[in-house]
Amino acid sequence: MDHITLAGAPRIVEPAGNGAADFVNKLFDSGSVIPAICMFLGGAAIIVCIVLLIVRKFWPNTPIGQQFQSRGTVAWCIAAIMLGVVLVAPKQVAPFIVKLLATLIQVPLDVAARIFGI
């Protein structure tokens, strides 16, 4: 017996995605008003941000258009649109985001396992 593997890099992507899907399903299938509130808030955020970006593009001389001329405000609008999408469709988006973040953690774990021969 020349080589003994003590432990390998843990597989975290699928369990994390399954856990997020279970959590979101339990939260939104409880029969409460939470899904309706989230959909309303997400839709409102998306609509407001799209209107602000349209005003910025086509009416830049208005007071609102002048406030939104920097790149930072565009980044905030895009972030709010992404949050709105998460609130509108959490059952589809939340597990995807969790799997994406878990993949970012899994890659260094796999690299470390290869380097150290685990």
Side-chain angles (χ1 to χ4, degrees), residues 81-100:
I81 289 172
M82 290 173 39
L83 176 66
V85 169
V86 170
L87 289 174
V88 168
K91 290 183 182 181
Q92 291 79 23
V93 178
F96 172 75
I97 292 173
V98 169
K99 284 183 180 181
L100 184 66

Side-chain angles (χ1 to χ4, degrees), residues 1 6-7 22 25 28-30 36 46 60 67-68 79 93 103 105 108 112:
M1 188 184 289
L6 299 176
D22 290 344
N25 285 334
F28 285 92
D29 288 341
S30 63
I46 291 170
Q67 292 291 328
F68 278 87
V93 178
T103 301
I105 296 170

Side-chain angles (χ1 to χ4, degrees), residues 3-16:
H3 184 272
I4 297 175
T5 301
L6 299 176
R11 299 277 137 225
I12 62 172
V13 176
E14 287 302 317

